Amino acid sequence: MNNNNIYIETYGCQMNLADTEIVMGILKNYGYQITKELELADVVLLNTCSVRENAEQRIYGRLGNFKKLKSSKPNLIVGILGCMAERLKKDLIEEKKIVDVVVGPDEYRRLPEFIDMAFTGDKGIGVKLSRTETYDDITPYREDGLQAWISVMRGCDKFCTYCVVPFTRGRERSRAINSIVEEVKGLSQRGFREVTLLGQNVNSYNDSGNDFSDLLAACADVDPMLRIRFTTSHPQDLSDKLLYTIAANQNICKYIHLPVQSGSNRILKLMNRTYTIEHYMEIIDKAKSIIPGVSFSTDVIAGFPTETYEDHLMTLEVMRNVRYDGAYMFKYSPREGTKAFKMEDDIAEESKIKRLTEIIDLQQRISYEINQALIGTEETVLVEGFSKKSEKFMSGRTDSNKVAVFPCSESIKEGSYIKVKINRATSGTLFGDVISTSLPSEKDLYKTA
Ligand code: SAH
Ligand code: SF4
Ligand code: F3S
């Protein structure tokens, strides 16, 4: 046991945010205190991301800041966790002298031990990947709030040719359904109102015969007032059963993040995405027919090796056909160790930028149009608190994860569901008036007019 203070910063995806809560749980059990003040820290940890070159550059920049801190506080321990730790291993310590601890995503149980090693002057390195670790029995450290993440599986077996994740997070494995449901119950009792189930590819969840639909339904059953979200779905494994489960449970959000990556079958094949655009569109159409009002978001990569302008136009075409609510849009970034790294990164930087800009502009326009069409409709909003811009307004999120802003009033409580009639919209935000602050019954919760 000890009384040292730990400060931790998190980069990358939601899985990393969830992992940070697991790490904090492990460290608190060992007696550490968590601090939000860098100046008070005895140990500084960065939970890192390797997915694109610029993600790693940010971490190097941050390490530069810590160098100054360490020169004024020589006993400070600096640790790198997460995907970059796993990818670069001891090279990180050899290259960056200020790094004392390097621990990958499957070795967090031993983190206290590695930090102890650093306190005695050694370096602590733990980068073994595991086929079984799911941190099932670790209670993540979460502050009270409305929204929580739960990793329901770890790793990825898809090996998209551009992606480091299978290398940084290892093989796919699922956490036990019972322990997930118990965690959801605990969150509901603590007053949480929304849980997001996380995995690189949740549709291949499998725990002794229970598939992802079974897990979703079991989580939805815990508390009808608790919204359930999930991410990410790989198109290859998305079943009809999942679509029917979403449709049948009013508290499962009618929103599917279904990354398409490219609109060209030739590029999809080079990416090893294992579906064609025709198949992808079939899933979208099926989802629309089974789940009334469903919306989608996506990930898109611009400038994958050999991508022609025609390939790029096909990506724009898919975006126009699906009409995503939102998209995460990236320039291709070659990652060492992946299959695509061996292909020539032959798309000039300015072409990548131009294509990405076209993709972003199109998505902005579509998001704007989708939101404009919501003017006059009534949306169920989970109230999150005061709006970022003004204390006269509050904000919350709709079922399809859109931010809605409405005038503040005494009767509106954080964590409650209200109905908002939309009267104005931008590409990113809906604005409206509150028409009901107490929803008549759970059944009415998600109905929109
Ligand atoms: N498992 C999820 C998320 C993976 S990482 C999925 O399959 O969707 C999130 C996104 O980053 C990916 O969907 C992809 O669009 C993007 N990405 C991954 N590797 C990349 C690379 N090397 N260059 C650019 N974008 C990349
Ligand atoms: Fe990466 Fe593909 Fe796995 Fe997603 S599904 S994490 S993009 S390898
Ligand atoms: Fe980044 Fe690792 Fe997530 S590479 S996107 S933190 S899985």
Side-chain angles (χ1 to χ4, degrees):
M1 293 307 249
N2 64 77
N3 289 313
N4 286 314
N5 281 322
I6 301 250
Y7 170 91
I8 178 161
E9 271 176 24
T10 311
Y11 297 81
C13 61
Q14 291 165 329
M15 307 280 276
N16 257 14
L17 290 165
D19 277 2
T20 288
E21 294 177 341
I22 289 170
V23 165
M24 291 194 291
I26 291 170
L27 293 170
K28 276 189 84 83
N29 281 344
Y30 198 73
Y32 280 105
Q33 268 131 173
I34 309 295
T35 177
K36 288 184 175 159
E37 319 264 335
L38 182 55
E39 296 71 31
L40 299 180
D42 304 294
V43 180
V44 174
L45 300 174
L46 295 182
N47 192 2
T48 63
C49 174
S50 282
V51 78
R52 284 166 292 276
E53 177 69 28
N54 58 8
E56 293 196 349
Q57 288 312 326
R58 265 181 90 193
I59 305 294
Y60 286 128
R62 197 63 183 130
L63 278 178
N65 301 146
F66 291 160
K67 211 168 170 177
K68 278 190 220 111
L69 192 67
K70 198 161 173 164
S71 58
S72 65
K73 200 173 177 181
N75 293 332
L76 183 77
I77 302 293
V78 177
I80 302 287
L81 312 180
C83 290
M84 221 171 138
E86 193 60 52
R87 195 177 85 77
L88 298 168
K89 304 186 171 66
K90 65 177 182 355
D91 291 357
L92 260 175
I93 288 189
E94 278 155 21
E95 273 167 35
K96 301 282 160 193
K97 297 281 176 267
I98 67 156
V99 176
D100 307 291
V101 173
V102 174
V103 180
D106 285 349
E107 290 245 61
Y108 294 147
R109 275 178 204 274
R110 293 181 62 200
L111 181 59
E113 193 186 313
F114 295 123
I115 296 175
D116 282 347
M117 285 165 77
F119 273 124
T120 59
D122 286 334
K123 300 284 182 185
I125 307 179
V127 289
K128 273 206 219 77
L129 288 171
S130 157
R131 285 185 177 262
T132 53
E133 179 63 273
T134 57
Y135 301 108
D136 223 4
D137 54 319
I138 305 280
T139 308
Y141 171 72
R142 292 188 180 97
E143 291 182 356
D144 286 334
L146 296 176
Q147 202 276 334
W149 294 280
I150 301 183
S151 288
V152 300
M153 51 191 303
R154 302 184 69 84
C156 182
D157 287 351
K158 283 281 180 274
F159 289 94
C160 304
T161 56
Y162 49 80
C163 184
V164 290
V165 173
F167 305 97
T168 62
R169 296 207 159 241
R171 297 290 58 75
E172 212 167 83
R173 66 216 99 117
S174 301
R175 200 182 141 184
I177 188 166
N178 293 340
S179 96
I180 298 168
V181 172
E182 284 308 309
E183 194 170 334
V184 173
K185 280 185 190 155
L187 290 167
S188 146
Q189 280 156 9
R190 265 180 75 185
F192 280 81
R193 280 285 163 264
E194 188 175 298
V195 166
T196 307
L197 306 181
L198 300 175
Q200 295 300 344
N201 173 21
V202 287
N203 299 334
S204 57
Y205 177 88
N206 188 323
D207 173 47
S208 42
N210 291 296
D211 64 14
F212 186 61
S213 313
D214 301 324
L215 174 68
L216 256 189
C219 293
D221 274 349
V222 168
D223 173 0
M225 301 300 273
L226 186 74
R227 275 180 173 173
I228 310 290
R229 298 187 188 278
F230 60 94
T231 196
T232 295
S233 290
H234 190 293
Q236 185 195 308
D237 307 314
L238 199 145
S239 67
D240 291 3
K241 184 178 167 192
L242 177 68
L243 299 176
Y244 285 110
T245 305
I246 300 170
N249 289 274
Q250 44 117 19
N251 57 335
I252 301 178
C253 291
K254 314 284 174 266
Y255 184 86
I256 306 176
H257 182 60
L258 196 66
V260 68
Q261 313 296 359
S262 166
S264 152
N265 283 337
R266 189 181 67 82
I267 296 293
L268 287 173
K269 195 154 189 207
L270 288 174
M271 288 177 162
N272 189 31
R273 286 294 287 182
T274 68
Y275 52 84
T276 59
I277 279 302
E278 292 72 24
H279 179 216
Y280 183 91
M281 287 310 298
E282 268 170 36
I283 298 173
I284 296 277
D285 291 342
K286 206 189 289 171
K288 284 181 178 168
S289 73
I290 295 175
I291 312 167
V294 68
S295 43
F296 302 93
S297 60
T298 197
D299 293 351
V300 178
I301 299 177
F304 188 80
T306 77
E307 185 190 72
T308 61
Y309 197 70
E310 284 65 39
D311 291 318
H312 162 69
L313 291 179
M314 292 181 210
T315 300
L316 297 179
E317 178 73 13
V318 176
M319 293 172 68
R320 270 192 289 267
N321 288 340
V322 179
R323 293 180 66 78
Y324 297 103
D325 269 36
Y328 300 91
M329 301 157 282
F330 311 104
K331 267 187 311 184
Y332 170 67
S333 167
R335 308 309 289 137
E336 207 174 342
T338 61
K339 246 186 166 172
F341 192 74
K342 297 194 192 87
M343 305 174 195
E344 191 191 344
D345 180 22
D346 59 349
I347 310 303
E349 181 65 13
E350 54 280 20
S351 305
K352 282 187 190 169
I353 293 173
K354 180 168 181 281
R355 290 176 197 180
L356 182 63
T357 310
E358 287 178 12
I359 289 169
I360 293 172
D361 288 350
L362 173 61
Q363 183 54 46
Q364 277 258 332
R365 207 178 71 220
I366 293 171
S367 298
Y368 180 77
E369 287 168 6
I370 289 176
N371 288 353
Q372 286 294 307
L374 291 175
I375 293 176
T377 64
E378 291 168 18
E379 291 281 328
T380 301
V381 174
L382 171 61
V383 180
E384 288 177 358
F386 287 104
S387 138
K388 274 191 219 133
K389 294 207 176 121
S390 157
E391 293 252 316
K392 286 187 187 146
F393 291 88
M394 295 183 88
S395 76
R397 277 169 198 272
T398 66
D399 185 275
S400 61
N401 218 6
K402 294 177 190 296
V403 175
V405 175
F406 42 88
C408 201
S409 100
E410 289 248 319
S411 57
I412 304 173
K413 301 270 174 291
E414 253 177 53
S416 64
Y417 291 95
I418 60 169
K419 283 240 186 269
V420 175
K421 187 161 185 175
I422 309 305
N423 56 29
R424 188 163 74 82
T426 65
S427 63
T429 313
L430 305 174
F431 299 87
D433 292 315
V434 179
I435 51 171
S436 160
T437 54
S438 58
L439 292 170
S441 77
E442 283 159 7
K443 253 203 250 124
D444 291 320
L445 208 54
Y446 294 98
K447 264 192 221 146
T448 49

